Amino acid sequence: MTTGTSVLLDEDLDIRGPIARPSLHDAIVTRVRDMIIEGELPAGGRIHEGNLGKTLGVSRTPLREALKFLASEGLVELSPGRGAVVRQFSAKDVHDSLVVLGNMEGLAGRLACEHASDDEIKEVRALHDRMIDMYEKQDRLPYFKLNQNIHSAILRLSKNEALAYVHGILQARLRRIRYIGNEGPEKWAGAVADHEEIIRALEARDADRLCAVLTAHMEKTWQRVKNAV
């Protein structure tokens, strides 16, 4: 990402001017992904294309294409015998992935403190403030999406495309796991407190502190989710 380029994701921008209609594919992918994140489609469960298609009001062909895309993200597994199944991770899978994510985010935080422009950091602050607003409203799914966008934004501010790419793959696979880390008021408040520290360290360009906070955040995430996997 070059200096001066917005760090905000398209889905979180306030749209001005002509409105582009989202494709049917994107709409289905987003809806099914949300159903997996929120547990409406449970881990390990088979996705019945006919029933899901009726629920969403779409035919099997675009639904199957959407499931193939979600399989590429690691959220769905496609089996010749069973069809599409929501991917289920073992506790070791989750722990190992969070360890890797924590170390990648720690490195990204160091690089972001060095390479991010002031305007880019302000955009992350804007994401953070919107996330806090969702937290105060107890609107969990929009909160979670903004939360994940903040992590992705910090990776982009590292200006290391390889690092951001690998991080994106792991983060996509763990969306449901990360979401359940906010279950219960105490866990959710703890995650918010972590993010308050993250944004303060980023704004101060305190590389050591930001690295430590991001790494610890993933360690705490494991403590919040380990009994649920």
Side-chain angles (χ1 to χ4, degrees):
M1 176 179 159
T2 58
T3 301
T5 301
S6 173
V7 301
L8 301 179
L9 295 187
D10 289 344
E11 66 182 358
D12 288 310
L13 291 172
D14 292 326
I15 303 299
R16 292 176 172 80
I19 298 175
R21 292 184 61 185
S23 71
L24 178 63
H25 172 79
D26 291 343
I28 298 172
V29 166
T30 298
R31 181 69 185 102
V32 177
R33 185 192 291 125
D34 288 350
M35 293 172 78
I36 292 171
I37 290 171
E38 294 186 285
E40 190 174 346
L41 294 173
R46 180 170 171 247
I47 298 175
H48 297 274
E49 292 180 5
N51 293 339
L52 182 56
K54 289 179 182 178
T55 298
L56 301 180
V58 299
S59 65
R60 289 198 177 193
T61 298
L63 177 58
R64 284 175 178 169
E65 290 303 312
L67 292 175
K68 288 178 183 178
F69 184 84
L70 291 169
S72 75
E73 288 190 335
L75 292 177
V76 169
E77 294 179 323
L78 300 177
S79 168
R82 298 185 65 198
V85 177
V86 178
R87 185 169 180 178
Q88 186 163 26
F89 296 92
S90 70
K92 187 176 188 305
D93 289 335
V94 173
H95 182 256
D96 289 350
S97 296
L98 289 172
V99 168
V100 174
L101 278 175
N103 281 278
M104 285 197 296
E105 291 199 2
L107 173 58
R110 286 188 181 279
L111 294 172
C113 287
E114 179 180 352
H115 297 300
S117 69
D118 290 344
D119 285 343
E120 288 170 334
I121 291 175
K122 287 178 182 177
E123 289 183 349
V124 180
R125 160 57 79 173
L127 282 174
H128 174 83
D129 290 346
R130 288 169 62 190
M131 182 193 75
I132 295 300
D133 183 51
M134 293 299 104
Y135 172 65
E136 291 173 347
K137 293 176 180 177
Q138 297 290 284
D139 202 345
R140 193 172 163 206
L141 187 58
Y143 162 89
F144 175 74
K145 290 183 176 181
L146 287 163
N147 178 302
Q148 295 294 279
N149 285 355
I150 289 168
H151 286 277
S152 297
I154 292 172
L155 265 292
R156 285 193 294 279
L157 294 190
S158 74
K159 310 300 171 72
N160 186 309
E161 292 184 5
L163 183 62
Y165 174 74
V166 177
H167 176 273
I169 293 171
L170 280 179
Q171 178 164 267
R173 290 179 181 176
L174 293 184
R175 281 191 174 104
R176 169 61 185 165
I177 300 299
R178 301 285 297 279
Y179 184 76
I180 64 177
N182 298 326
E183 287 182 343
E186 186 175 347
K187 290 181 180 180
W188 196 355
V192 169
D194 287 352
H195 270 260
E196 293 281 11
E197 289 189 56
I198 289 168
I199 193 62
R200 285 196 295 266
L202 178 61
E203 289 177 327
R205 295 183 184 271
D206 188 334
D208 289 341
R209 181 181 167 203
L210 183 55
C211 175
V213 171
L214 285 166
T215 303
H217 181 56
M218 289 302 168
E219 293 171 356
K220 293 176 185 176
T221 296
W222 168 245
Q223 295 303 318
R224 289 192 273 266
V225 304
K226 66 180 183 179
N227 291 329
V229 296

